[in-house]
Amino acid sequence: MEWNPETLQFLSQCFLHTLSPQPEPRHAAESSLAEAADRPNYGLAVLRLVAEPSVDEQIRQAAAVNFKNHLRTRWVPSNDLNAGPTFSPILDPEKDQIKTLIVSLMLSSSPRIQSQLSEALAVIGKHDFPKSWPTLLPELISNLQKAAQSSDYASINGILGTANSIFKKFRYQYKTNDLLLDLKYCLDNFAAHLLDIFLKTASLIDSTASSPGGGSPATLQPLFESQRLCCRIFYSLNFQELPEFFEDHMKEWMGEFRKYLTTNYPSLESSGDGLALVDQLRAAVCENISLYMEKNEEEFQGYLNDFASAVWSLLTNVSQSSSRDKLAVTAMKFLTTVSTSVHHTLFASEGVIPQICESIVIPNVRLRDEDEELFEMNYIEFIRRDMEGSDLDTRRRIACELLKGIATNYKKKVTDIVSLQIQNLLSSFATNPSANWKDKDCAIYLVVSLATKKAGGTLVSTDLVDVQSFFLSVIVPELQSRDVNGFPMLKAGALKFFTTFRGLIQKPVAFQLFPDLVRFLGAESNVVHSYAASCIEKLLLVKDEGGKARYTSADITPCVPVLMNNLFNSLKFPESEENQYIMKCILRVLAVADISSEIAGPCIAGLTSILNEVCKNPRNPIFNHYLFESVAILIRRACERDASLISAFEGSLFPSLQTILANDVTEFLPYAFQLLAQLVELNKPPISPSYMQIFVLLLSPDSWRRSSNVPALVRLLQAFLQKAPNEVNQEGRLNQVLGIFNMLVSSASSDEQGFYVLNTVIENLEYGVISPYMGNIWNVLFMRLQNNRTVKFQKSLVIFMSLFLIKHGATNLVDTMNAVQDNIFLVILEQFWIPNLKLITGAIELKLTAVASTRLICESPVLLDPAAARLWGKMLDSIVTLLSRPEQDRVEEEPEMPDIAENVGYTATFVKLYNAGKREEDPLTDVKDPKQFLVASLAKLSAHTPGRYPQIINENLEPANQAALLQLCGIYNCQIV
């Protein structure tokens, strides 16, 4: 795309129309730009438009956004075939010109355009900096020096913002030599300039703040933003390890850091967003000193007392406003880090822990108006913050983490103080329950949040209260309240307590409350009915000692009709139509209860009704997964118990599944194929015409284009091969099936799926049916072996050859292979079967390959020929290794790397349905013990030619394997003569 007046006019008009409220011109403009984006130099042309002062600011801003997005998709295009459309990459000459122009243009732009270009620059820097863009840092430093001389903070902050973006990689990438070399380059060139601008700005802040009136907010704002950016860059450059430059200049940095924690700036803090800006700087300082406390404790210890005092003082004065949450959280995190370090003695002085509890912890644990608003207006966000394990830092959680940190070294002090606080809070509630309900909520929250979980288990405990008596006196009255809608936050807290301590609540007590939990599913509050569902779901998972389920089907089946009715009704509440906690509870109940036809009918009707709705717009992947798992477990448990239900289930599900297939609902296709596989397997031959229509669709190459569908399609194809072997051998279908096998086995990312298809063909079709195709099958496998020989493929090949031998005999195996090429069987045996046999894992696979290999050396004329004695011995050596050594001694981790282009995203959208999984079938049910089979077969074989085989064993088996074989002969009372 050439840069000329026509291009300028074309692009200007397009970007103008993209801002149109009318859909027609907007869509036409977007389409024209998408088409133009494939032409060389498009990105450069858009950047020049952004730089054109004669063009309207709005158009230039739209162009800047487009330019940033263009770079995101085309600077280094994705190889992920599932990530959407592929884009032609920007060529190197265009890249070079963009890199030449972008810095100066960014610095000269208005703030809104500057922020877009800064993001675009960060996109380039992520891939090219520093190795492929060595001029970037010198250019940024040169411009920073010029801007500093004139105190041009618009430019200074633009440059620091860019530097912050490109240095962020030092926080998140693994420490490698390459990363450390890049870090050293940045430190050598930028660290001194960073300190210079930081100290210059600090001096300007001091002089401005000390002037009459404390300085104007307009003057102070860019200065504080500059210091915040310097702090974020400090964090990035110090993240991996303490650099020498920063160690040498620690005094300057720490002096300024402390000043920002202890100084108030009234003129700025009282203006608009001024307090937020100052708090952002303080929070950045807290993150920096936490980093030093964690990683550079020894060097930092001289500053620790001052900072601990400053942070403590700061926290006691931080208001409960949500706008100050970030500062409160980072400050408490710093104190938590100190409390678990060797410097915890700072908390040992008399009165310190009570003061922290009263002035920091309790105020931050108490509910605020913002929490109540979130509870009512956005229940998903509330639950995410409130549930243990959320990665969101909230004041409540971090305040409790601070107490836990202090308790690491002062457990009794913390326990005594908090226990007393809990009693005081409950006493306050008792004096006026309606007015003081937040005190009770605070008490419950403290007990739940400070509970300790046993390592590796779900059992929790607490020293703060006696759980049984606290449950009966504090929690049960809330759960037995007749008004499920009264004081909903208190009800939610009580349900959370029940869920947390479910393992400690005795079964008779808990079970007596089960009807109350079912009642709470009808609460109007989304949080309350979600917590009730979660509590029921978690109770059904409780195990007693020995791993036995505490609550069985006999316990819950009597109340299942009411329970399921309430669960489905709760999905009708506004905002809970796709409530994942309720759907997970439905899944758990269906897994535990006895599923009679009276329960199955309404459940399948309810689930298909929901399925029809979510098909219109799949939004919540977790809810959808639990939905499909619920359908799968209902099919499995109900239809296996009562086969008469199959046709009713098909009648309910088929329209929904056909909708998914017909409308190509991408997210649901793998699920639909797995459910269809389940239904096919439940049917008795002959397969109905409706299924045969799906079989025809399944055999179409188009169905296999999306790699995310492949595992589910293979699962469905296996079901058809098992249930309709006769139909497979009609109308050229077997040829199509083998074409699918060929396609799958040719790629390293799907070869395992190809073998699943081939193995199912071998298992379910007669030899007379498959023999005409065997030459082609071996050709495909040998070609793949020659071109791309991975360990995984070789193991799969050994399993396939073993299965073929078991099903159709050693002679057919040898003859069909040798028909492709003379004596190829012995070559494959020596080069692939023998060395890879010891790598086989999995109980069924191990038994299959061991028995097949035993039959091969005991039945195949090729190996019984005296000329093949060495191969016979080596094969036996491999069999004994497989059977006598533990897996970790014979299998190494596979070092091979998958082909990224093929494999990225391969399973990204395929999620296996646990309850629709294919059951592993043992093709050798008549053989119980492969070790016994081996020595019995060898004893029988050697009896025909006494003296021959002991000599071969002595010459070809490793000494350890000779000893292992002798031991096996003794165990099973067999003798090799």
Side-chain angles (χ1 to χ4, degrees), residues 130-310:
K131 291 184 180 64
S132 301
W133 198 357
T135 59
L136 174 60
L137 201 53
E139 190 176 358
L140 289 175
I141 292 167
S142 170
N143 281 290
L144 182 63
Q145 289 172 318
K146 285 179 201 164
Q149 284 171 0
S150 58
S151 296
D152 174 8
Y153 272 86
S155 294
I156 288 170
N157 290 349
I159 295 161
L160 291 175
T162 301
N164 182 36
S165 296
I166 62 175
F167 293 158
K168 275 181 184 176
K169 71 175 185 176
F170 300 122
R171 301 182 207 172
Y172 309 120
Q173 291 185 11
Y174 287 115
K175 186 189 284 191
T176 62
N177 286 337
D178 282 349
L179 187 76
L180 292 177
L181 284 171
D182 288 353
L183 176 57
K184 184 178 185 305
Y185 167 78
C186 296
L187 287 165
D188 290 347
N189 288 282
F190 198 77
H193 298 290
L194 179 68
L195 180 58
D196 288 345
I197 195 67
F198 183 68
L199 294 176
K200 172 188 167 67
T201 309
S203 175
L204 283 173
I205 289 174
D206 290 347
S207 60
T208 306
S210 60
S211 64
S216 76
T219 306
L220 286 169
Q221 277 180 347
L223 301 180
F224 272 81
E225 174 61 12
S226 180
Q227 295 301 68
R228 185 191 71 80
L229 288 167
C230 285
C231 284
R232 300 312 291 147
I233 294 169
F234 176 99
Y235 189 83
S236 297
L237 296 180
N238 282 270
F239 190 86
Q240 294 291 340
E241 53 192 34
L242 176 60
E244 186 180 342
F245 179 87
F246 285 92
E247 187 173 359
D248 292 344
H249 294 276
M250 197 181 292
K251 187 176 180 182
E252 292 105 299
W253 285 104
M254 296 304 151
E256 295 303 323
F257 285 172
R258 185 173 175 278
K259 186 172 68 185
Y260 296 130
L261 296 181
T262 55
T263 307
N264 291 321
Y265 299 90
S267 69
L268 181 56
E269 291 177 26
S270 60
S271 70
D273 299 328
L275 177 60
L277 189 56
V278 179
D279 278 356
Q280 284 171 9
L281 173 56
R282 289 169 178 150
V285 167
C286 287
E287 289 193 84
N288 287 343
I289 59 176
S290 290
L291 180 71
Y292 267 45
M293 190 65 223
E294 286 170 20
K295 300 198 171 192
N296 311 310
E297 193 176 324
E298 188 180 332
E299 295 85 354
F300 181 65
Q301 63 182 345
Y303 304 94
L304 178 57
N305 282 9
D306 284 348
F307 275 113
S309 170

Side-chain angles (χ1 to χ4, degrees), residues 430-447:
T431 60
N432 189 343
S434 295
N436 298 339
W437 65 270
K438 287 184 183 179
D439 289 338
K440 183 173 183 178
D441 174 87
C442 187
I444 295 171
Y445 188 89
L446 281 168
V447 177

Side-chain angles (χ1 to χ4, degrees), residues 49 99 101 115-116 258 274 283 382 399 416 551 561 616 625 628 632 674 684 712 777 814 842 903:
L49 168 63
K99 286 192 282 195
L101 294 172
S115 71
Q116 295 300 327
R258 185 173 175 278
F382 180 89
D416 291 348
Y551 302 95
K616 296 171 187 173
H625 182 74
F628 280 100
Q674 290 174 85
K684 290 187 169 60
I777 289 171
V814 175
N903 207 44

Side-chain angles (χ1 to χ4, degrees), residues 790-792 795 835-841 881 885-896:
T790 64
V791 175
K792 182 179 65 158
K795 283 159 64 175
N836 286 291
L837 181 60
K838 66 180 181 183
L839 303 178
I840 300 300
T841 55
T881 299
R885 296 189 197 175
E887 192 176 299
Q888 63 268 25
D889 291 353
R890 58 185 175 81
V891 179
E892 293 178 9
E893 285 293 315
E894 290 187 30
E896 58 198 45

Side-chain angles (χ1 to χ4, degrees), residues 840-862:
I840 300 300
T841 55
I844 290 175
E845 290 84 351
L846 187 147
K847 181 171 136 182
L848 169 68
T849 52
V851 171
S853 301
T854 301
R855 283 185 52 182
L856 191 61
I857 61 173
C858 293
E859 297 173 14
S860 171
V862 176

